Amino acid sequence: MFKPVSSKVDFSKLEENLIPLWKEKNVFKRSIEARKNNQRFTLFEGPPTANGNPGIHHVLARVFKDVMPRYKVMKGYYAPRIAGWDTHGLPVELEVEKKLGISSKTQIEEYGIAKFNLKCKESVFSYLKNWDAMTERIAYWCDLEHPYITMDNSYIETVWWTIKQLWDKGLIYQGYRVTPHCPRCGTSLSSHEVAQGYKENTEDPSVYPKFKVTSSEKEIINNLLKDKPIYLVAWTTTPWTLPGNTALAVAAAAEYAVVDNGSEYLILANDLRAKAGLGDQKVQTTLQGSEIVNTRYEPLYNPDQFGVERRRPMKTTSQDGVERKEFRVQQADDKLTYRVIATDFVTMEDGSGIVHVAPAFGEVDFEAGLAFDLDFVQQVDLAGKLIGNYPFAGKFVKSADKEILADLQARGLLFKSGKVLHTYPFCWRCNTPLLYYAKQSWYIRTTEVKDKMIANNEKLNWYPEHIKNGRFGDWLKNNVDWAFSRERYWGTPLPVWRCETCGKMECIGSISELVEKSGIDPACFEKTALGLHRPAVDEIKMKCTACGGQMKRATEVIDCWLDSGDMSIAQYHYPFNPGSKDIFKDGRFPADYICEAVDQTRGWFYSLHALSTLLFGEICFKNVICLGHILDAEGEKMSKSKGNVVDPWKVINKYGADALRWYCLTVTPPGNVKRFSEDQVGEITRRFQLILWNVYSFFVMYANIDNYVPASDMNVEPDSELDCWIISELNKLIRDVDHDLDNYNPTEAGRKMEIFVNDLSNWYVRRSRRRFWKSESDTDKTSAYNTLYLCLVTFSKLLAPFMPFMAEELYQNLVKAVSPGSPDSVHLTDFPVADLAKINDQLSSSTQLAIKVCSLGRAARSGANIKVRQPLSKVVVAVKSRSEREGLIKLKPQVLEELNVKDIDFVDSMGELNQSNYTCMLEGENGVALCTEISVELEMEGMAREIVHRLQTMRKSAGFEIADQIITFFEGDEYIQKVMQDNASVEYLKQETLSRNVLGVFPAEGVYSESFKLGGHPVKLGVKKA
RNA sequence: GGGCGCUUAGCUCAGCUGGUAGAGCACAGAUCUGAUAAGUCUGCGGUCAAUGGUUCGAUCCCAUUAGCGCCCA
């Protein structure tokens, strides 16, 4: 006996009730342990940060992560999954700053780094409960009890080991990096933060400074110079960068004009002459950009005269033979001149066609500086104030602008100035305009292994495929060294110590090395809340082995992307943990599968790939699904400010986790963006879950009535075409789902499962109903039960990785309830194996045709306005081949019953269908004609059916149970009497309505009765429990 | 500004190596039903984003453009 199943169901409730079962039976752990001796399947979990609530996009990623290991476990793989948490980084610090009401590094240091970092540590897990609750509720199975945590000492130790490895290979160096910098907060901003703060129509100065030419390689210029002064006219919107100017750039191929401006000559791009207001002046001569190159000019402000250092990149060769550029301070030069260079970033769109280059304040400028060995002048400090002894020294850059302009004006070095409106980035927190600022940073020389990374990429399976050679491949091709240090507080400390006396540096690769070299007591970090973090680690000093001086730690912390990218080994505490060296042999590395959203191509996907290539020369993951983003129903990005963020709990509580999971897995291919709308999740409930549920409840209802007991071997030998067909479809489905999942395509697999459920419900069950309803037990009925049972049980296993709850519900009732010796959970069973011998393509296409013929037949009936309940004598089908005809003949009973006709005939062409008394319906290459002639007998039979239909409805209204036997009473005119006296009709009626007796006289009471007019004949019907 | 992706019915999506388009939902009318919140039939809906090219033939291949999304500037 199965547990009775109501056709009404609340999936969300049902799911909540299953979670305790899994806990009690320890199903997750057992599903793993049971396969302990088998081949591994390794998922790397990309660590989220738990300092915010999980959103719908996290659900999406977790569902995609979950489906594959679940499948693999059922296929027999050993698939432990370790949860992970990303705990470091600027986002965490920003949260704490917000809570403390502070917003600058100075304020943090005043507050105290120790206190600050403690707050960070607390804040990291402030939403952990919500994360765990969500993870459990959506049935994302992973080991939440033993996660890797990037701030743990053991994790940090592996990161240190990693850095040391790279250090020893000579892959770590210090250099400059231009970053968007907020002078008020004293902090670099991540690109994400910068993107938040762009403002359109920002007003800035539009300035044309003049640079006085001193000499040129070009004879014409030198000749003109004898005549009157020549100036190069540049253009900028940031006058405060002008003291940092160390070159002017032109476009080599562009045409430049030397304009006679009365007392002076001005050089600028010919195309931009008019725009600059020099359209009417006489053009003395024109030159190619390449001809101006190396023209020398006087700086507007010679740094040497204003107490600012002038540094120049100089080539040096280190011990390991690698060429580097080091910035060396230059001797003061009162007659300093700079030169004109040609670059490809000069455009003729605005300005003067001559670009002012200040390597300390812009990425392209900085790179040009390196390429052309330009001087590097940093006349602004991190607070955005000018240094040195300029007249405007000590001023904030934006306020210095005016004074600089006035100064240039006074010295005759300003051609003109105005205002411009453009888009400019501001600090998203304090609204201060950002400065692009070159800062010292530590780099990993990833370019050293660029080719290897590209080669390794070839070994990866990307889904969707285009990421491989597109976004990711391009990123690798354009690889630049990884600036991995941050001048912040809450992060893995950079394990580099530097001698204050001789400058020697040492990298520490383990805790024991640190203890050994510094002589500290390990207890000073082992037992403290902050462990290896700042500031305690900053206090650790060691003795320089070269000069005996004191070594102090470099103050930076490490980019948290390096933390997460190192998880492939740090989660195992490699190489310190005993046994961790086996990870390369036992399948724990590389991962078989990872999955995150597409923004991780340059984030986590890259950091994993880069680190494993750098460290081991190996790939880090074999298969990767790259998910598209979730947008709102209008296609807009979800954001708090727009108020269009979807709360996953709301969706789950309403529709259940299974529906949401199914939505995530099937609504679009994984790489596409998803426009999320609740309605679509609801549609899944209606279109898929409820249909399956009703097949299930149908089965249970009748199985209980008939006391059906499933055969123990489940080896169903179907004996009807219908059973053979659905078993064939089932095996095809197993084959396809298996294949799709094997190819990391749950979307296709899911869509095929939807089709199967439709076929099962709308053809198999629909056509089989009478087989279950017939009261006597016979082989056909048993075959129907066996077949439907097999379909449902098998389907529950196919469904398990996708909809773990519903699959479990089916399994518990259909299998566990009747067979206590079976596995405790569907998730402990094996994935079904397709029996290819049972796949019958011939039968499959015949059935497809039969379904189509029925569809056409119904359309034909509808066209002739004849109800399906009215039996007809004949249907004629036009077929295009013998095999079609033979296929249909085998399925003749199904077609006849579905269409309610007595006989079927075939013709070879559509033309033959057009006969009188026939109604036709044609579509494509098939056509159907129905005989519309209704004999007296057919009419009477139709009436009997009509009466049966009314009686069935009355049984329901009277509240009878489905299996209740009844007595039927009737009154009617002569015609009705005649129908009800027909033997065949009465037998049919009895069987359909479970009537023991059909009586022409009503009893006095106890009868539920209704009156009708059927086909013009008045009828009164009554039903009563027998 | 650069790279990648997307654009097919009102909505969500199919459409394999080119042979002039399909499904589900929604909507309207009819209909069936003792499993069904479902099913069936009919209708409503598309110059397959635009332009040009290759081809006997293009939703599909190529180029350009536009819009959207993401990443990077």
Side-chain angles (χ1 to χ4, degrees):
Chain A
M1 183 83 174
F2 301 104
K3 181 185 78 188
V5 176
S6 162
S7 66
K8 308 227 181 313
V9 55
D10 178 342
F11 288 114
S12 190
K13 264 240 171 58
L14 180 147
E15 293 173 359
E16 283 167 11
N17 292 334
L18 281 168
I19 292 174
L21 172 84
W22 290 337
K23 277 192 189 160
E24 263 165 48
K25 305 269 180 182
N26 203 11
V27 176
F28 170 49
K29 208 163 177 192
R30 285 168 60 205
S31 75
I32 293 167
E33 294 306 316
R35 272 89 177 176
K36 191 152 192 159
N37 299 317
N38 299 5
Q39 196 184 332
R40 279 209 192 227
F41 178 82
T42 300
L43 165 88
F44 283 170
E45 156 82 339
T49 312
N51 73 335
N53 265 322
I56 194 94
H57 54 292
H58 295 113
V59 173
L60 171 69
R62 300 202 142 210
V63 168
F64 263 94
K65 287 177 195 178
D66 190 55
V67 70
M68 291 308 303
R70 279 181 182 275
Y71 161 71
K72 291 289 181 180
V73 163
M74 292 178 78
K75 293 287 282 184
Y77 287 82
Y78 174 48
R81 291 148 251 173
I82 307 171
W85 299 107
D86 196 5
T87 52
H88 287 149
L90 197 60
V92 181
E93 292 193 26
L94 293 181
E95 272 297 308
V96 173
E97 284 187 31
K98 215 158 65 184
K99 264 182 240 159
L100 294 174
I102 59 177
S103 64
S104 76
K105 287 170 74 175
T106 328
Q107 284 173 299
I108 291 171
E109 284 173 21
E110 279 165 11
Y111 180 78
I113 297 175
K115 271 164 74 190
F116 182 79
N117 272 357
L118 272 174
K119 289 267 182 213
C120 286
K121 190 182 170 186
E122 281 166 25
S123 127
V124 164
F125 287 131
S126 48
Y127 292 83
L128 187 65
K129 269 189 187 159
N130 300 13
W131 274 87
D132 284 350
M134 171 64 67
T135 304
E136 177 178 79
R137 184 61 187 84
I138 62 171
Y140 174 48
W141 278 1
C142 65
D143 187 352
L144 291 170
E145 283 160 29
H146 310 93
Y148 68 88
I149 301 170
T150 60
M151 66 182 182
D152 284 353
N153 280 352
S154 63
Y155 197 98
I156 289 176
E157 189 174 30
T158 298
V159 176
W160 280 9
W161 177 87
T162 300
I163 300 295
K164 176 71 179 272
Q165 294 293 303
L166 304 181
W167 179 275
D168 288 346
K169 290 183 186 175
L171 294 174
I172 291 189
Y173 68 95
Q174 274 185 293
Y176 281 89
R177 173 169 92 118
V178 175
T179 60
H181 174 84
C182 174
R184 209 196 76 88
C185 305
T187 305
S188 292
L189 273 70
S190 68
S191 57
H192 175 71
E193 291 174 291
V194 176
Q196 284 184 340
Y198 276 102
K199 278 192 198 166
E200 284 173 27
N201 294 325
T202 302
E203 192 182 89
D204 264 317
S206 164
V207 180
Y208 293 81
K210 300 191 305 190
F211 293 82
K212 190 170 186 210
V213 173
T214 57
S215 67
S216 171
E217 289 178 348
K218 209 68 195 159
E219 202 58 21
I220 317 170
I221 295 182
N222 285 330
N223 283 338
L224 289 172
L225 210 46
K226 292 172 192 159
D227 190 11
K228 47 190 174 189
I230 307 177
Y231 293 94
L232 292 151
V233 177
W235 180 72
T236 183
T237 57
T238 51
W240 57 269
T241 61
L242 286 171
N245 173 281
T246 61
L248 292 172
V250 295
E255 190 182 56
Y256 288 82
V258 180
V259 178
D260 190 337
N261 194 34
S263 61
E264 60 190 5
Y265 291 117
L266 299 178
I267 302 179
L268 75 171
N270 203 16
D271 288 348
L272 290 160
R273 195 157 49 84
K275 221 170 158 183
L278 291 166
D280 300 332
Q281 268 75 349
K282 182 188 163 204
V283 173
Q284 186 69 28
T285 182
T286 60
L287 294 158
Q288 284 295 107
S290 55
E291 294 179 286
I292 314 176
V293 169
N294 286 336
T295 298
R296 302 210 70 96
Y297 67 91
E298 286 175 7
L300 301 176
Y301 299 95
N302 181 345
D304 299 337
Q305 292 164 355
F306 293 96
V308 176
E309 279 182 348
R310 188 163 56 81
R311 277 171 285 180
R312 190 170 294 175
M314 311 286 273
K315 273 187 193 162
T316 61
T317 309
S318 63
Q319 306 157 343
D320 50 9
V322 181
E323 232 174 50
R324 283 165 200 171
K325 282 192 174 171
E326 223 171 69
F327 286 77
R328 297 252 175 90
V329 177
Q330 302 296 298
Q331 290 215 326
D333 178 359
D334 279 351
K335 292 192 174 133
L336 181 69
T337 59
Y338 289 126
R339 66 194 163 102
V340 174
I341 58 175
T343 69
D344 54 8
F345 57 76
V346 179
T347 71
M348 294 298 138
E349 267 150 41
D350 43 28
S352 63
I354 299 179
V355 172
H356 141 64
V357 179
F361 307 105
E363 190 149 3
V364 290
D365 301 54
F366 183 78
E367 263 149 38
L370 284 183
F372 292 92
D373 294 332
L374 302 179
D375 281 359
F376 182 89
V377 174
Q378 182 68 281
Q379 83 284 10
V380 176
D381 67 13
L382 286 169
K385 288 184 176 141
L386 284 117
I387 59 171
N389 47 33
Y390 300 101
F392 33 83
K395 285 261 155 59
F396 183 65
V397 289
K398 288 281 164 187
S399 17
D401 276 353
K402 263 184 245 157
E403 294 184 38
I404 292 172
L405 291 183
D407 183 58
L408 293 177
Q409 183 78 53
R411 292 159 58 201
L413 294 174
L414 187 63
F415 166 59
K416 71 185 232 186
S417 77
K419 299 281 179 199
V420 70
L421 292 177
H422 61 168
T423 305
Y424 195 83
F426 289 75
C427 178
W428 63 277
R429 281 183 296 182
C430 64
N431 225 7
T432 307
L434 300 179
L435 312 181
Y436 284 88
Y437 195 100
K439 284 186 194 173
Q440 264 216 327
S441 175
W442 292 84
Y443 281 87
I444 297 173
R445 202 185 309 280
T446 54
T447 46
E448 188 93 354
V449 293
K450 178 175 151 179
D451 292 343
K452 184 74 186 167
M453 285 197 285
I454 291 170
N456 277 346
N457 184 32
E458 286 305 312
K459 300 178 193 162
L460 310 181
N461 288 323
W462 285 90
Y463 306 94
E465 216 190 326
H466 63 79
I467 305 280
K468 179 181 197 155
N469 293 315
R471 195 176 281 210
F472 195 69
D474 285 345
W475 172 246
L476 294 179
K477 256 186 249 162
N478 299 315
N479 185 254
V480 293
D481 289 344
W482 182 358
F484 75 104
S485 65
R486 299 286 180 266
E487 294 174 298
R488 298 295 310 187
Y489 308 96
W490 180 239
T492 301
L494 185 71
V496 174
W497 270 257
R498 185 190 189 111
C499 176
E500 288 180 312
T501 313
C502 71
K504 180 187 160 70
M505 290 194 278
E506 193 152 355
C507 181
I508 299 299
S510 69
I511 291 173
S512 60
E513 189 183 349
L514 178 67
V515 169
E516 187 190 314
K517 292 192 169 160
S518 66
I520 53 150
D521 177 1
C524 77
F525 55 83
E526 270 172 7
K527 289 177 187 155
T528 57
L530 284 176
L532 291 170
H533 288 92
R534 297 185 69 184
V537 72
D538 301 338
E539 302 305 319
I540 300 174
K541 310 279 193 315
M542 40 184 114
K543 196 171 164 188
C544 178
T545 50
C547 73
Q550 179 172 257
M551 297 185 102
K552 273 181 81 176
R553 196 186 73 84
T555 54
E556 290 93 338
V557 296
I558 294 172
D559 180 5
C560 58
W561 285 113
L562 196 143
D563 284 351
S564 57
D566 217 23
M567 67 73 72
S568 64
I569 56 171
Q571 64 179 332
Y572 308 122
H573 192 199
Y574 179 90
F576 305 101
N577 193 21
S580 66
K581 290 204 169 144
D582 296 334
I583 59 172
F584 305 101
K585 281 178 275 172
D586 65 16
R588 281 183 287 168
F589 182 102
D592 292 286
Y593 173 55
I594 62 172
C595 168
E596 303 292 337
V598 64
D599 52 278
Q600 296 297 332
T601 16
R602 281 148 198 215
W604 193 56
F605 295 155
Y606 172 68
S607 60
L608 284 175
H609 188 73
L611 285 173
S612 73
T613 306
L614 284 161
L615 291 171
F616 312 116
E618 294 291 334
I619 61 167
C620 192
F621 47 89
K622 296 177 188 165
N623 299 284
V624 47
I625 293 181
C626 202
L627 299 167
H629 286 117
I630 296 198
L631 309 175
D632 75 2
E634 272 69 53
E636 301 252 356
K637 202 172 158 174
M638 289 185 191
S639 71
K640 280 180 197 158
S641 58
K642 276 187 208 149
N644 59 351
V645 176
V646 173
D647 175 13
W649 283 107
K650 202 181 142 205
V651 180
I652 291 166
N653 290 335
K654 190 163 173 189
Y655 301 100
D658 276 347
L660 182 55
R661 285 176 66 110
W662 195 263
Y663 168 86
C664 290
L665 292 168
T666 64
V667 70
T668 59
N672 289 21
V673 295
K674 290 173 172 50
R675 290 187 173 202
F676 185 88
S677 81
E678 225 184 273
D679 292 350
Q680 282 185 57
V681 182
E683 198 184 313
I684 283 160
T685 305
R686 276 180 283 116
R687 204 187 68 218
F688 181 64
Q689 284 186 289
L690 280 172
I691 293 179
L692 176 59
W693 187 263
N694 283 312
V695 172
Y696 163 62
S697 82
F698 170 88
F699 171 82
V700 168
M701 180 189 290
Y702 285 104
N704 281 344
I705 290 171
D706 279 332
N707 286 315
Y708 167 73
V709 178
S712 53
D713 62 354
M714 292 283 287
N715 193 12
V716 175
E717 286 301 333
D719 71 351
S720 78
E721 295 289 340
L722 200 52
D723 293 343
C724 287
W725 169 72
I726 198 68
I727 295 291
S728 166
E729 295 299 315
L730 179 70
N731 281 290
K732 260 203 284 190
L733 182 71
I734 298 169
R735 180 193 66 191
D736 293 349
V737 169
D738 197 18
H739 175 263
D740 287 337
L741 286 179
D742 213 36
N743 287 289
Y744 294 86
N745 194 346
T747 307
E748 266 307 306
R751 288 177 177 184
K752 283 170 188 149
M753 289 165 76
E754 287 177 353
I755 293 169
F756 177 81
V757 166
N758 252 299
D759 286 344
L760 181 68
S761 171
N762 293 334
W763 192 253
Y764 181 75
V765 173
R766 178 183 167 85
R767 287 276 28 95
S768 297
R769 265 183 309 194
R770 300 175 57 80
R771 302 167 69 195
F772 295 97
W773 186 229
K774 277 194 270 179
S775 52
E776 72 277 12
S777 202
D778 56 15
T779 47
D780 179 56
K781 185 170 180 173
T782 309
S783 174
Y785 273 120
N786 283 339
T787 303
L788 186 52
Y789 182 76
L790 177 68
C791 285
L792 284 168
V793 170
T794 308
F795 193 82
S796 76
K797 294 176 184 171
L798 293 177
L799 188 65
F802 300 80
M803 286 189 164
F805 294 100
M806 189 157 178
E808 189 71 279
E809 181 71 17
L810 297 187
Y811 176 86
Q812 287 299 328
N813 197 20
L814 293 176
V815 180
K816 192 67 189 166
V818 295
S819 161
S822 51
D824 278 338
S825 161
V826 71
H827 304 293
L828 295 170
T829 64
D830 289 335
F831 204 72
V833 178
D835 182 350
L836 299 181
K838 295 228 166 80
I839 295 176
N840 183 341
D841 289 322
Q842 182 70 46
L843 179 58
S844 184
S845 53
S846 297
T847 304
Q848 278 309 312
L849 183 61
I851 291 171
K852 188 172 179 190
V853 165
C854 290
S855 170
L856 289 170
R858 279 189 294 260
R861 272 181 178 275
S862 172
N865 207 11
I866 303 171
K867 290 183 173 184
V868 181
R869 236 177 264 132
Q870 175 60 58
L872 294 174
S873 60
K874 188 182 270 184
V875 58
V876 182
V877 181
V879 289
K880 51 182 199 267
S881 68
R882 235 181 92 184
S883 68
E884 276 196 1
R885 177 195 299 238
E886 282 166 5
L888 282 177
I889 287 171
K890 282 187 189 156
L891 304 178
K892 186 172 160 184
Q894 294 176 45
V895 177
L896 294 186
E897 197 177 275
E898 180 66 25
L899 281 180
N900 195 17
V901 293
K902 299 296 177 193
D903 199 9
I904 189 166
D905 233 342
F906 299 95
V907 293
D908 294 322
S909 71
M910 307 273 256
E912 295 172 63
L913 292 173
N914 279 312
Q915 300 171 41
S916 60
N917 291 333
Y918 276 79
T919 173
C920 298
M921 187 55 69
L922 314 174
E923 191 197 310
E925 294 183 71
N926 293 102
V928 163
L930 280 170
C931 179
T932 53
E933 233 171 329
I934 300 170
S935 65
V936 178
E937 288 75 21
L938 287 175
E939 193 182 299
M940 278 175 63
E941 208 182 317
M943 179 59 80
R945 277 188 164 234
E946 194 66 46
I947 290 169
V948 165
H949 167 57
R950 305 292 162 162
L951 286 170
Q952 300 287 37
T953 313
M954 285 171 64
R955 281 181 60 111
K956 228 183 194 174
S957 317
F960 297 168
E961 290 301 313
I962 201 159
D964 283 344
Q965 302 274 328
I966 60 164
I967 297 170
T968 295
F969 305 91
F970 72 93
E971 276 172 13
D973 64 9
E974 207 175 312
Y975 182 74
I976 298 296
Q977 301 283 341
K978 197 174 157 198
V979 171
M980 296 303 266
Q981 276 157 24
D982 178 80
N983 234 346
S985 295
V986 173
E987 277 315 303
Y988 166 75
L989 185 150
K990 280 183 171 172
Q991 196 182 35
E992 292 297 311
T993 61
L994 294 184
S995 297
R996 286 228 188 119
N997 234 328
V998 181
L999 302 174
V1001 187
F1002 270 77
E1005 55 184 27
V1007 176
Y1008 177 85
S1009 65
E1010 284 182 33
S1011 294
F1012 309 94
K1013 200 157 195 182
L1014 302 178
H1017 305 280
V1019 186
K1020 185 181 172 194
L1021 296 171
V1023 290
K1024 182 188 170 192
K1025 278 198 203 179

